Amino acid sequence: MLALRISGLPRLRFKRRAKFRPALTGIDVVIQSLGVSVGPEIILKPTRFFSKATRVLVTAMEEAQVKLDLRDGLRGRQQPRPRRVSLLCAFHLLLGRVYDDKDVQERIVRRSKLDWVIVRPVILTDGPRTNAYRALVDPRRWTCGFISRADVADFLIKQIDDDAFLHKTPVLMS
């Protein structure tokens, strides 16, 4: 099941692409932000939540001719990772299965007919919007760090009218 919130409408839940069509009529931009609850299942069980939800939404967006797909939360293999071996092992143990599915999710978006921006925030916090963040495309400049959800939302909204990161995967960090 997938939840969708469109410009002030209540959260809508969809299992099939056909139910998206009416919700996407007249929509130019979709911002998708998916997450999972932390618990033993993310360590013990593989997930296909991200890739399944993305496949349904991307297909519906292509059919509805939505112009721009902005994504928050794709943190696949290209995401900044801890450099110390002990931290890297713990990181892979805790999030490896989720990252595997996020890699599939990213391939779905990249192969789509949509214009897209895949945003990779570092560790999210509940802090206020600061506007003191950077969007980095060059992996040599990526580091681990923190960023507020409000700053990520600010960046995503700015991308609606700015194509500087179109078909790119910037990492957001404070």
Side-chain angles (χ1 to χ4, degrees):
M1 196 170 325
L2 181 63
L4 176 68
R5 190 180 308 233
I6 301 175
S7 60
L9 294 176
R11 186 175 297 254
L12 306 170
R13 297 193 183 275
F14 301 96
K15 288 186 180 180
R16 287 183 280 293
R17 182 177 67 241
K19 293 192 176 186
F20 274 107
R21 286 186 194 113
L24 293 173
T25 301
I27 299 296
D28 293 321
V29 178
V30 170
I31 297 175
Q32 179 187 23
S33 182
L34 299 174
V36 292
S37 299
V38 176
E41 63 279 351
I42 69 168
I43 299 170
L44 302 173
K45 297 178 182 177
T47 183
R48 290 189 2 237
F49 170 72
F50 299 98
S51 57
K52 286 173 72 174
T54 297
R55 189 170 285 113
V56 168
L57 184 56
V58 164
T59 303
M61 289 173 65
E62 287 175 338
E63 290 172 358
Q65 299 179 345
V66 174
K67 295 175 185 163
L68 180 61
D69 181 19
L70 299 171
R71 296 188 178 265
D72 158 37
L74 289 184
R75 296 175 191 86
R77 298 285 174 221
Q78 298 302 313
Q79 180 72 9
R81 303 276 174 115
R83 291 190 174 96
R84 289 193 352 208
V85 173
S86 59
L87 289 176
L88 190 58
C89 290
F91 186 86
H92 183 72
L93 175 67
L94 293 173
L95 297 173
R97 293 178 185 261
V98 170
Y99 279 94
D100 290 343
D101 192 45
K102 287 182 172 280
D103 289 340
V104 175
Q105 180 189 28
E106 184 169 317
R107 280 193 301 274
I108 292 166
V109 173
R110 285 178 178 269
R111 292 176 181 164
S112 75
K113 298 172 188 167
L114 303 171
D115 284 338
W116 52 264
V117 177
I118 296 173
V119 179
R120 296 177 171 144
V122 290
I123 298 169
L124 296 169
T125 69
D126 290 328
R129 183 173 63 108
T130 66
N131 281 326
Y133 57 84
R134 297 175 292 152
L136 305 173
V137 177
D138 183 355
R140 294 172 296 188
R141 298 184 58 211
W142 295 350
T143 60
C144 289
F146 300 91
I147 188 166
S148 72
R149 286 176 175 85
D151 277 338
V152 174
D154 180 70
F155 179 81
L156 287 166
I157 290 167
K158 287 176 180 174
Q159 298 319 295
I160 293 170
D161 294 320
D162 183 354
D163 63 0
F165 292 99
L166 197 59
H167 296 122
K168 294 181 182 172
T169 56
V171 167
L172 290 185
M173 58 183 43
S174 292

